Amino acid sequence: MNNTGMRSSYRNRIALNFTLGTGLLIALIFLLIYYIVSATVFNRLEKDLGYELEKHFYEVGVQRGQPYFADKAEWLEREHSELEINPVFVALTNLSGKVIDKSPNLKNDSLKLHFSPADHAVFKTTLHGLAIEQVQQVIRENGRPVGYIVVAMPIDESERVLLNLKVVLLIAFPAVLAILFIFTRYLAGRSIQPVLTVIETASKMSNSNMGSRIPVPFVQDELYLLVTTLNELMTRVEHAIDREKRFTSDASHELRTPLAVIKGTLEVLIRKPRSADEYVEKISFCIGEMDRINHLVDQLLLLARFESQQKAMTMGIVDLSELTANILVRHQQQIVEKNLSVDLDTVGIDTVYSDPYMADIMLDNIISNAVKYSSGPARIAISIATSEQITYYTVADKGIGIDSNDISRIRDAFYRSAPLSHPEVKGSGLGLSIVSRMCEMLGVGFTIQSELGKGTQVTLSFPILSQS
């Protein structure tokens, strides 16, 4: 099915569902109208019959066990003499149904008696092919039934009115449904047009065209929220794709360099026989490059794992002083070789509520950078201070520093500030990227202050109330 068919089907489904729901309501309304009209017509007719019955009932007398009309002048009334103008038919019968007397407008016809155990009965029948409604009442003498008085009125006009009403409603119902379906289908098409615009714009987006955005409607309704949410999602996807491209490019570059060095060293090594010392030297160099590759791969895997947030955080109490001491032990050989001194100053609370594994990685990266980019004799100052429910962990060195133009990019993966100015310092540029990502996940503040040639200060801000 093509897109047009799908759109048409969706529009038709909206119109059909709305029409069916509204059609059910209209059907109930039409039935209610018919019932009200029918009940009104026949209730009025029954009242008229009751009035005529009561009027004639009191004119009936009983003589020798037979009922009779005491006032014959009533038969001369026009309504009993003519059929054309709202006639009322009256008959007087004995218990067996034999007519004793009847109104002149009955002529040769007679009303059918309904033998019912009830004293009063109302029913419909026919008279000379005409529909009539008939009411009969038992006549009693001293509590004993002696006959019946029957009063009838034609209802063919009433039934004709109800029939016409039924026909009109039956014809109007499908016509209304058809009009409603067409109108609803048109409105549904107009209503889903912005959605089609969203689909069309989204279908044009690709990896090479992620800058397109869906036009935001002027009316701030549900569609406005949908478009805004989709645009924000596309922005995040665009940034993720850009990061992936940059990460892939930088990672391939960083891995290609040591591999090329190892390959070149080994090619030189096999060109001619070498002494044992030369073999040891070149192989040791290659092992160092392999260690560099292993470290780079470990950092890449670590960064990828936290980028996808696959590692669940395990929060607990972290002693920053103890953690710092353990990290300094790991870097003790390099600190001694570079003739560096490290001062640890603690003021206030030195424990925070954080992920111990991630906290160790963050502090290790910051301290290792301070050691890596410092040259002795020099001092590295580490301080832990608490102020306004925040514990500040600061590492300050007197190393080579960072150019002010590079501060904004120093947290990007694989970015290193002026690497050609200090080729002796090896690194991949992933350390601060990992620290920055972990700080985002843990809600820890991360600031860098640096001046080229004077040193760098890195501060982590741990909220000490995170445990509550």
Side-chain angles (χ1 to χ4, degrees):
M1 181 181 294
N2 56 27
N3 290 337
T4 303
M6 294 175 63
R7 296 172 187 174
S8 177
S9 175
Y10 184 66
R11 180 172 57 186
N12 288 341
R13 287 201 302 271
I14 294 176
L16 182 60
N17 292 335
F18 181 80
T19 302
L20 290 177
T22 309
L24 179 61
L25 179 60
I26 293 175
L28 293 176
I29 294 174
F30 280 8
L31 289 175
L32 183 62
I33 291 174
Y34 183 81
Y35 173 78
I36 292 175
V37 173
S38 177
T40 302
V41 169
F42 286 108
N43 285 341
R44 181 61 182 174
L45 187 60
E46 289 180 8
K47 287 182 180 179
D48 292 342
L49 283 173
Y51 170 75
E52 293 293 337
L53 177 65
E54 183 180 2
K55 181 174 66 173
H56 293 297
F57 182 79
Y58 289 106
E59 297 171 353
V60 175
V62 180
Q63 186 178 15
R64 298 176 183 177
Q66 293 290 330
Y68 71 98
F69 281 109
D71 188 2
K72 294 293 291 185
E74 179 65 20
W75 303 110
L76 301 178
E77 287 188 6
R78 178 173 180 163
E79 62 179 354
H80 303 313
S81 302
E82 299 181 0
L83 291 173
E84 290 81 3
I85 304 176
N86 194 27
V88 178
F89 307 106
V90 182
L92 202 60
T93 71
N94 59 19
L95 290 176
S96 63
K98 182 180 179 180
V99 177
I100 299 173
D101 204 351
K102 62 182 180 180
S103 57
N105 56 8
L106 282 172
K107 297 182 179 180
N108 295 327
D109 296 319
S110 61
L111 298 177
K112 299 175 182 177
L113 191 65
H114 182 69
F115 294 99
S116 172
D119 288 350
H120 183 89
V122 180
F123 56 93
K124 294 178 182 179
T125 183
T126 58
L127 177 64
H128 200 60
L130 296 176
I132 62 173
E133 184 156 344
Q134 189 170 301
V135 59
Q136 68 183 37
Q137 179 72 41
V138 175
I139 301 173
R140 295 178 180 274
E141 182 185 20
N142 298 325
R144 182 175 62 87
V146 295
Y148 295 94
I149 180 172
V150 185
V151 179
M153 296 180 68
I155 59 172
D156 56 327
E157 289 294 334
S158 299
E159 289 189 338
R160 188 175 296 111
V161 170
L162 291 176
L163 179 61
N164 292 338
L165 176 62
K166 183 187 295 185
V167 171
V168 169
L169 294 180
L170 290 176
I171 294 176
F173 182 69
V176 170
L177 290 186
I179 295 173
L180 184 62
F181 177 80
I182 294 173
F183 183 68
T184 306
R185 188 174 182 273
Y186 170 75
L187 291 182
R190 292 285 302 273
S191 300
I192 66 174
Q193 187 58 45
V195 178
L196 300 181
T197 303
V198 171
I199 296 173
E200 183 179 358
T201 305
S203 64
K204 294 179 180 178
M205 294 182 180
S206 61
N207 288 346
S208 59
N209 184 29
M210 292 299 298
S212 300
R213 292 296 179 268
I214 302 170
V216 180
F218 293 103
V219 181
Q220 296 189 7
D221 52 8
E222 290 80 0
L223 185 60
Y224 175 88
L225 295 176
L226 173 63
V227 171
T228 303
T229 303
L230 287 176
N231 284 339
E232 292 175 353
L233 173 63
M234 295 310 300
T235 299
R236 293 195 295 271
V237 171
E238 181 182 11
H239 291 166
I241 291 176
D242 289 341
R243 287 197 304 270
E244 180 184 358
K245 291 180 179 178
R246 187 169 59 250
F247 181 86
T248 303
S249 176
D250 294 340
S252 61
H253 173 74
E254 291 294 330
L255 289 172
R256 189 183 299 113
T257 301
L259 289 175
V261 171
I262 293 174
K263 180 182 179 182
T265 302
L266 294 177
E267 287 177 346
V268 171
L269 192 62
I270 64 174
R271 286 178 182 174
K272 62 179 181 178
R274 307 282 181 174
S275 64
D277 292 339
E278 289 179 313
Y279 280 116
V280 170
E281 178 186 358
K282 297 300 181 183
I283 292 175
S284 298
F285 176 78
C286 290
I287 292 175
E289 290 298 311
M290 292 299 298
D291 291 338
R292 180 185 170 191
I293 292 176
N294 286 333
H295 179 69
L296 177 61
V297 170
D298 290 340
Q299 286 191 312
L300 287 174
L301 293 176
L302 182 64
L303 185 61
R305 180 168 36 165
F306 286 109
E307 279 292 339
S308 60
Q309 297 187 357
Q310 292 179 351
K311 180 185 182 302
M313 291 182 292
T314 305
M315 306 300 286
I317 301 298
V318 179
D319 189 326
L320 297 180
S321 297
E322 181 180 354
L323 186 57
T324 302
N326 293 333
I327 294 172
L328 291 176
V329 170
R330 291 201 293 264
H331 296 281
Q332 182 177 4
Q333 180 178 353
Q334 190 176 6
I335 293 173
V336 173
E337 290 176 354
K338 301 186 72 171
N339 193 21
L340 303 175
S341 62
V342 180
D343 296 335
L344 176 60
D345 184 18
T346 301
V347 179
I349 302 174
D350 59 355
T351 58
V352 295
Y353 188 71
S354 185
D355 183 296
Y357 174 74
M358 297 171 69
D360 180 83
I361 293 175
M362 292 189 298
L363 269 58
D364 185 86
N365 273 286
I366 295 173
I367 293 175
S368 65
N369 279 347
V371 173
K372 183 188 302 182
Y373 292 102
S374 296
S375 56
R379 184 175 67 91
I380 298 175
I382 302 175
S383 64
I384 305 173
T386 303
S387 175
E388 298 181 356
Q389 305 302 320
I390 296 178
T391 297
Y392 297 96
Y393 185 91
T394 304
V395 177
D397 63 64
K398 300 295 183 181
I400 60 177
I402 305 171
D403 189 277
S404 58
N405 296 325
D406 296 334
I407 291 292
S408 59
R409 297 189 57 192
I410 200 65
R411 305 182 191 187
D412 295 343
F414 299 105
Y415 184 82
R416 298 181 62 197
S417 176
L420 297 179
S421 300
H422 40 83
E424 74 283 355
V425 180
K426 304 296 182 180
S428 61
L430 289 174
L432 293 182
S433 298
I434 296 174
V435 174
S436 178
R437 180 65 182 132
M438 291 182 176
C439 286
E440 290 179 5
M441 297 178 64
L442 294 171
V444 176
F446 179 34
T447 58
I448 301 176
Q449 297 175 342
S450 184
E451 188 175 350
L452 192 62
K454 294 186 177 181
T456 302
Q457 177 177 301
V458 179
T459 302
L460 301 181
S461 305
F462 293 87
I464 62 175
L465 293 181
S466 297
Q467 184 177 6
S468 60

